[in-house]
Amino acid sequence: MAITSLFLFLVVFIVLSYWDISVYRSWPTTGLFACSSVRSNPNSISPPSKPDIKRLSKIWDSLHTLFDEHSPRPSTLPRETFSSGSTDFPPIEVIKQHLKIPESEANATRVRHADLLRQIAAYPRNLFSGRGVVMLAGGHYSEFAATALGMLREVRSKLPVEVWMKDDTEEKEGWCGELEKEGMVCRRLSDYMDMSALKHPYTWKVFTMLFSSFKEFIFLDADNMPMKNPDYLFDSKPYRDTGAILWPDYWRSTGSPWLPYVIGISDEPSDLLLSRDQKTVESGQMVWDKQRHWKSLCLAAYYNYYGPNYYYTLISQAWAGWGDKDTFPMALEAMKEDYYEVPHTIDTLFVNGTIHGIGMIQADPANYTTRTPLFLHANIVKWSVRDFLCVGCPSEDPKSAGPSFLENPGSTIHSHLKEARRVYSTIQFEGSGLDPEPMLWKCMEHTACRSVWGNEQLCQQTRDHMAKTFGFQFKASHVATVTGFGELMCAVDP
């Protein structure tokens, strides 16, 4: 009788003790001693299966040889900015006259380019499968990725994820193991190719897409975060119709008139791209079907392979956006493949109470008539809990060493962190039903308190800011404490 009574008492005690941590309304209860959350993988999302690295490496060997045999002429273009020095969009006549390429060299590159298109192999069968998210991280960018990947799970995405890095030197010890528990896996480009051929980081993105095990994927930059579940994009009409969705950047093309001629979309030097009322592309997010757009993906890889020396300059003439971003639409156009460019312009996100731009809001492509937010590309102030709140912390990456925003009075968000105020203005989200900042701080708290990136001081600072700014509460699991499992603090929604 005494044993039975004791047992019943313990059961009641455990239930009552656990009650505090089960009140997190948006997190389903899945365990007794852990903080039950979407971060505990309640949908049992499995990491992507291991790809056929040997076969993919052979494909790259063939492409590498093909690319080397079809190098542009000249091999290097001068990267010279427009002489006016103004940040205003250059006049069309200035753009047309800027880059000097001898006609003989343009003709030679055009011939090589056309021959390359004929020799790109067809889509490789039985190599890629399924749908997922591809992200390029590594080094300091992995800290931004920790927040972005958290947001992916916070908005209830069920897609598996591949997190790519250059090589093992860019991996944070222990982080990849954490990712696997959330249906994510780390990949290294160096396992597939000799990275000495690709010295500029801008060239790496397209190869994560090329080598990814997914047949269909959403690519996200490490500082780009969905504000609602993006899984539906694969079933949206723009994607079903075309197999590729691209988002606009701020400005129109500044490409050389030689560009459409060289890539074969015009029979002579032309201002075709300059005369369009169409923006250039912002490649922080893309949706892509490899089966429908394999050849254009290979061609984009070619443009990036020769990007720093030739194609980046041919495409932008060293003005804003020099890099990989417009290699993707140019490849699709050169291959005469359809794609969908979201018609809604970027909405700039501002620091709360200021006119300082801090990020970009990209729209939902499924909503044709009204701009509704989908992605938050934090291209100016990137969300790393260490960069935001660390005081006296050593930098994980010597190249990015410096004070945190909280430590730096010159930071545009220093006073917001010091005085426990919102970082983002909410004006751009009015009427959308979205408020990404509390979710972002949940992701930061997870990183600070339950990840290899965090520490006790950083964890407490993050929780203090969340409590003061948004009204979050943090309650202990008495069960875990009393039974010797340690003190687990679980967030409670404001």
Side-chain angles (χ1 to χ4, degrees):
M1 183 68 179
I3 293 176
T4 302
S5 298
L6 179 62
F7 175 75
L8 289 173
F9 171 78
L10 286 173
V11 168
V12 172
F13 175 76
I14 285 173
V15 170
L16 291 175
S17 298
Y18 184 60
W19 189 257
D20 275 351
I21 67 168
S22 63
V23 297
Y24 200 134
R25 295 187 296 277
S26 64
W27 286 3
T29 300
T30 59
L32 187 60
F33 299 109
C35 296
S36 300
S37 78
V38 289
R39 303 301 296 275
S40 62
N41 199 2
N43 296 304
S44 302
I45 305 165
S46 298
S49 58
K50 189 173 182 179
D52 189 339
I53 296 177
K54 186 175 181 180
R55 189 176 169 195
L56 283 164
S57 295
K58 285 185 177 179
I59 287 175
W60 167 239
D61 288 342
S62 298
L63 284 173
H64 191 189
T65 300
L66 186 65
F67 293 174
D68 284 345
E69 291 172 348
H70 293 81
S71 58
R73 292 290 182 268
S75 59
T76 301
L77 292 177
R79 184 184 173 187
E80 298 174 354
T81 58
F82 293 101
S83 57
S84 67
S86 171
T87 58
D88 295 334
F89 191 82
I92 295 297
E93 287 305 314
V94 172
I95 295 173
K96 290 166 66 173
Q97 300 298 323
H98 181 63
L99 189 62
K100 310 297 187 206
I101 301 178
E103 184 176 354
S104 60
E105 292 180 340
N107 288 337
T109 302
R110 176 184 166 92
V111 169
R112 285 168 170 254
H113 185 278
D115 188 58
L116 174 80
L117 299 194
R118 288 189 287 269
Q119 294 193 47
I120 295 176
Y123 174 75
R125 300 288 174 178
N126 305 314
L127 182 58
F128 308 110
S129 63
R131 294 169 169 175
V133 172
V134 176
M135 181 174 286
L136 176 60
H140 195 199
Y141 273 76
S142 290
E143 297 186 50
F144 313 141
T147 306
L149 295 169
M151 281 292 282
L152 198 65
R153 291 296 178 245
E154 283 289 341
V155 298
R156 308 304 176 96
S157 172
K158 297 179 182 178
L159 293 171
V161 180
E162 293 180 343
V163 183
W164 286 81
M165 285 163 260
K166 177 188 175 186
D167 53 35
D168 59 359
T169 65
E170 296 208 331
E171 289 182 12
K172 170 71 171 176
E173 185 177 355
W175 187 48
C176 292
E178 292 178 357
L179 293 178
E180 288 184 13
K181 298 173 185 176
E182 298 193 62
M184 307 177 187
V185 69
C186 291
R187 305 267 197 240
R188 302 170 186 164
L189 283 169
S190 59
D191 291 340
Y192 299 76
M193 64 190 303
D194 179 3
M195 293 300 293
S196 65
L198 301 175
K199 292 183 170 56
H200 201 296
Y202 286 174
T203 64
W204 301 346
K205 179 184 296 187
V206 69
F207 291 97
T208 69
M209 299 162 65
L210 193 73
F211 297 138
S212 168
S213 65
F214 303 125
K215 188 177 84 168
E216 302 171 82
F217 60 83
I218 300 171
F219 178 89
L220 292 176
D221 276 355
D223 56 1
N224 198 344
M225 297 156 290
M227 291 180 282
K228 61 183 181 181
N229 191 337
D231 297 5
Y232 73 94
L233 288 173
F234 292 115
D235 299 313
S236 66
K237 189 176 187 302
Y239 181 77
R240 292 198 314 270
D241 288 349
T242 66
I245 302 177
L246 304 177
W247 276 259
D249 213 325
Y250 283 106
W251 48 83
R252 293 176 18 226
S253 173
T254 56
S256 167
W258 286 111
L259 172 60
Y261 177 73
V262 163
I263 67 174
I265 62 175
S266 173
D267 292 331
E268 59 185 4
S270 168
D271 61 0
L272 170 68
L273 301 176
L274 304 179
S275 60
R276 290 181 181 176
D277 187 21
Q278 181 178 342
K279 304 294 186 184
T280 54
V281 162
E282 194 269 294
S283 62
Q285 59 286 302
M286 292 179 278
V287 191
W288 201 281
D289 182 342
K290 281 187 186 177
Q291 185 167 359
R292 283 193 273 180
H293 296 297
W294 173 252
K295 290 192 174 184
S296 56
L297 188 59
C298 292
L299 183 57
Y302 168 78
Y303 291 156
N304 280 275
Y305 183 73
Y306 289 109
N309 289 336
Y310 189 88
Y311 278 100
Y312 294 169
T313 298
L314 187 67
I315 290 171
S316 72
Q317 300 197 92
W319 203 66
W322 185 93
D324 65 87
K325 69 190 199 71
D326 286 298
T327 60
F328 300 99
M330 290 302 99
L332 288 159
E333 297 209 18
M335 294 303 309
K336 297 178 172 58
E337 296 176 1
D338 290 337
Y339 66 99
Y340 182 80
E341 185 165 344
V342 177
H344 304 296
T345 57
I346 294 174
D347 201 2
T348 300
L349 186 58
F350 294 96
V351 175
N352 184 24
T354 78
I355 57 171
H356 296 298
I358 194 175
M360 301 184 288
I361 301 173
Q362 291 284 15
D364 182 349
N367 193 329
Y368 301 98
T369 58
T370 306
R371 182 203 287 126
T372 54
L374 177 56
F375 293 111
L376 194 171
H377 192 169
N379 62 320
I380 304 298
V381 174
K382 305 176 191 296
W383 284 75
S384 154
V385 68
R386 294 171 62 88
D387 286 357
F388 268 54
L389 295 175
C390 230
V391 175
C393 295
S395 176
E396 292 282 324
D397 183 354
K399 291 181 290 186
S400 60
S404 68
F405 301 134
L406 179 61
E407 294 173 302
N408 180 10
S411 165
T412 56
I413 64 170
H414 169 75
S415 62
H416 298 70
L417 299 175
K418 187 176 181 180
E419 300 165 11
R421 292 189 285 131
R422 279 177 172 268
V423 169
Y424 285 151
S425 166
T426 58
I427 294 173
Q428 286 81 4
F429 304 113
E430 289 179 356
S432 70
L434 298 174
D435 184 6
E437 189 167 346
M439 279 197 294
L440 284 165
W441 280 104
K442 286 189 206 177
C443 299
M444 299 263 269
E445 190 267 349
H446 180 92
T447 303
C449 304
R450 303 176 185 86
S451 171
V452 294
W453 299 104
N455 57 52
E456 186 175 349
Q457 175 207 26
L458 196 54
C459 176
Q460 190 57 53
Q461 284 179 284
T462 306
R463 287 173 173 168
D464 287 347
H465 181 84
M466 293 171 69
K468 293 174 183 176
T469 309
F470 300 100
F472 279 95
Q473 298 178 50
F474 297 90
K475 297 192 176 183
S477 164
H478 301 308
V479 179
T481 303
V482 171
T483 54
F485 282 84
E487 184 178 289
L488 295 175
M489 299 293 291
C490 302
V492 181
D493 275 337

